[in-house]
Amino acid sequence: MIMDYPIRINKYIRDRGLASRREADKLVDDGLVLINGKISEKGDMVNKEDHVVLKENKKEYKYIAYYKPCGLS
C-alpha cells in the first residue's frame, strides 16, 4: 500500500491494519503509541522516516460460570 506522507497518526495505524481509526485514537489517548520514542498526541503527523511503536495493550478477560438449577428452562 502506498501512503502519502505526512499522514495523521490514527490513519497511519489504520492503514497498517493494527486498529480502526477510532481505536487508534483511543490508543493514542491512552499513551500507547510512540513516534520516535515520544508519546504521541491526537493529530500528530507521521513522516516516512519516523519510527512508530505501538505498546502492547493487554486486555483483561473475565469468565463467569452460571449453573442453572434443575427444572429451570
Side-chain angles (χ1 to χ4, degrees), residues 6-71:
I7 187 172
R8 288 175 54 104
I9 186 65
N10 62 349
K11 187 171 182 326
Y12 178 85
I13 293 171
R14 194 266 329 255
D15 289 350
R16 291 291 179 172
L18 302 172
S20 70
R21 285 175 84 162
R22 289 189 179 163
E23 289 171 343
D25 284 337
K26 174 107 173 72
L27 293 171
V28 170
D29 287 341
D30 292 344
L32 298 175
V33 180
L34 303 174
I35 301 174
N36 298 326
K38 296 181 182 178
I39 296 176
S40 66
E41 297 178 4
K42 270 189 186 175
D44 280 352
M45 301 299 277
V46 177
N47 292 307
K48 191 172 188 174
E49 61 276 353
D50 288 337
H51 182 70
V52 178
V53 175
L54 180 61
K55 290 183 184 177
E56 192 171 338
N57 184 15
K58 295 193 180 213
K59 293 184 179 180
E60 183 178 324
Y61 295 98
K62 293 182 182 180
Y63 297 93
I64 300 171
Y66 173 75
Y67 297 98
K68 130 177 125 164
C70 293

